[in-house]
Amino acid sequence: MNEISKEQLLYMKRTRQHKQFVLFFQLFLFIFFIILWEITSRAGIINAFIFSSPSRMLASGKELLLNGQLLKHLGITLAETFASFFLVTAVSLFTAILLWWNNTLSEILEPYFVILNSLPKSAMAPIFIVWLGNNMKTIIVTAISVAIFGSILNLFTSFMSTDPDKLKLIRTLHGSQADCLTKVILPMNLPTILSILKVDIGLCLIGVVIGEFLAAKEGLGYLIIYGSQVFKMDWVMLSIVLLCLIAALLYGVLNRLEKHFKNF
């Protein structure tokens, strides 16, 4: 068994120190912002009624938690986000594989995906309400529409950019199209797929909030709209902070998953 050299130990130490340095300043900036926000609101530098404050948000969060409203709204938003994310993942992967498999089909459909991806998704939400009604299906479809077309195009572009020599080698050895897919396309593009999924989870969350703005009576998006209408800005700011935490948590989970597969 080879011993670790002094240079390797020094490199590992510097890498660990750099990560600790970055983490320290990330936490420092966050805590500094929270403290500054609280001090300026208490001193009257900013209007606490309009901008709220960390202490007011905590008090509102405690109140909503005790009456069961907070967990209900949070759970609904998470359920809608996960449902739309899994549907986007499944449909976009299947469609990208289908487009890669059939060049004629990709030539026909690719311009339409580009056009659909460029549409303003918030403008589509009212149409979905008319088609599907004012319910959870509309919110999930809105979230899917935000993420799916870009996901398909990015996956398809990545598949088409795969090393052609490796595909040629598979075909030279009398491999089928399915062999090319399972032995070259998917394994080589796994890091790209995971990177696209990290973007998709954020887009699905955005789409869910857009849908809840227009077609919901529950969820964090609804809480933001309702809070702004009745001037309960503590609810609005609390919901926004919770959305930020959800986005950071989901991104972190997928980031860990990506690192795991890279090391695998």
Side-chain angles (χ1 to χ4, degrees):
M1 183 176 179
N2 296 327
E3 293 184 0
I4 300 176
S5 65
K6 291 183 179 180
E7 289 77 11
Q8 288 175 316
L9 287 172
L10 182 61
Y11 173 77
M12 292 169 63
K13 182 180 178 182
R14 287 177 177 174
T15 302
R16 185 168 58 252
Q17 288 176 341
H18 176 73
K19 290 181 178 179
Q20 291 172 349
F21 177 82
V22 171
L23 179 61
F24 170 78
F25 273 97
Q26 286 176 337
L27 293 174
F28 172 78
L29 288 174
F30 175 74
I31 294 171
F32 175 77
F33 174 75
I34 294 297
I35 294 173
L36 182 64
W37 186 5
E38 182 68 27
I39 291 174
T40 52
S41 65
R42 286 180 181 269
I45 298 174
I46 61 173
N47 191 327
F49 177 75
I50 296 176
F51 294 97
S52 189
S53 69
S55 59
R56 289 169 64 103
M57 285 194 307
L58 285 174
S60 295
K62 182 180 178 181
E63 178 188 350
L64 289 171
L65 185 63
L66 291 176
N67 62 28
Q69 292 296 307
L70 184 61
L71 292 179
K72 182 183 74 171
H73 292 300
L74 186 61
I76 288 171
T77 297
L78 283 173
E80 292 165 345
T81 302
F82 285 132
S84 58
F85 173 69
F86 288 127
L87 286 170
V88 165
T89 301
V91 174
S92 58
L93 263 175
F94 175 78
T95 307
I97 290 171
L98 196 62
L99 294 176
W100 170 82
W101 195 286
N102 191 318
N103 288 330
T104 302
L105 185 65
S106 66
E107 290 174 0
I108 294 171
L109 296 181
E110 188 178 7
Y112 290 99
F113 285 123
V114 173
I115 293 170
L116 290 171
N117 188 48
S118 65
L119 288 175
K121 308 306 184 298
S122 57
M124 296 295 295
I127 299 175
F128 295 145
I129 293 174
V130 174
W131 288 348
L132 302 173
N134 193 2
N135 51 46
M136 186 179 288
K137 287 190 297 184
T138 299
I139 298 168
I140 293 174
V141 170
T142 302
I144 291 172
S145 70
V146 170
I148 193 166
F149 301 115
S151 181
I152 291 171
L153 289 172
N154 289 330
L155 286 171
F156 174 64
T157 302
S158 179
F159 291 172
M160 295 301 293
S161 302
T162 305
D163 189 353
D165 292 334
K166 293 184 178 181
L167 294 172
K168 188 180 295 184
L169 177 61
I170 294 289
R171 294 188 177 106
T172 302
L173 297 173
H174 304 290
S176 64
Q177 189 82 331
D179 292 323
C180 292
L181 176 67
T182 57
K183 293 178 172 58
V184 178
I185 295 295
L186 293 178
M188 288 192 65
N189 287 283
L190 184 59
T192 303
I193 292 171
L194 291 173
S195 296
I196 292 171
L197 293 184
K198 288 195 296 185
V199 176
D200 287 345
I201 192 68
L203 291 176
C204 287
L205 183 59
I206 292 170
V208 164
V209 173
I210 291 173
E212 288 179 346
F213 282 167
L214 301 174
K217 295 181 180 179
E218 296 171 315
L220 294 178
Y222 165 77
L223 203 61
I224 291 173
I225 289 295
Y226 178 74
S228 63
Q229 290 173 344
V230 299
F231 292 99
K232 284 187 172 291
M233 301 307 294
D234 301 334
W235 290 8
V236 175
M237 298 304 295
L238 175 65
S239 300
I240 292 172
V241 170
L242 287 174
L243 287 172
C244 291
L245 292 175
I246 291 171
L249 180 62
L250 295 176
Y251 177 86
V253 170
L254 288 172
N255 195 43
R256 290 292 296 272
L257 187 64
E258 181 182 21
K259 288 181 180 179
H260 171 75
F261 278 104
K262 283 182 177 179
N263 296 329
F264 182 69

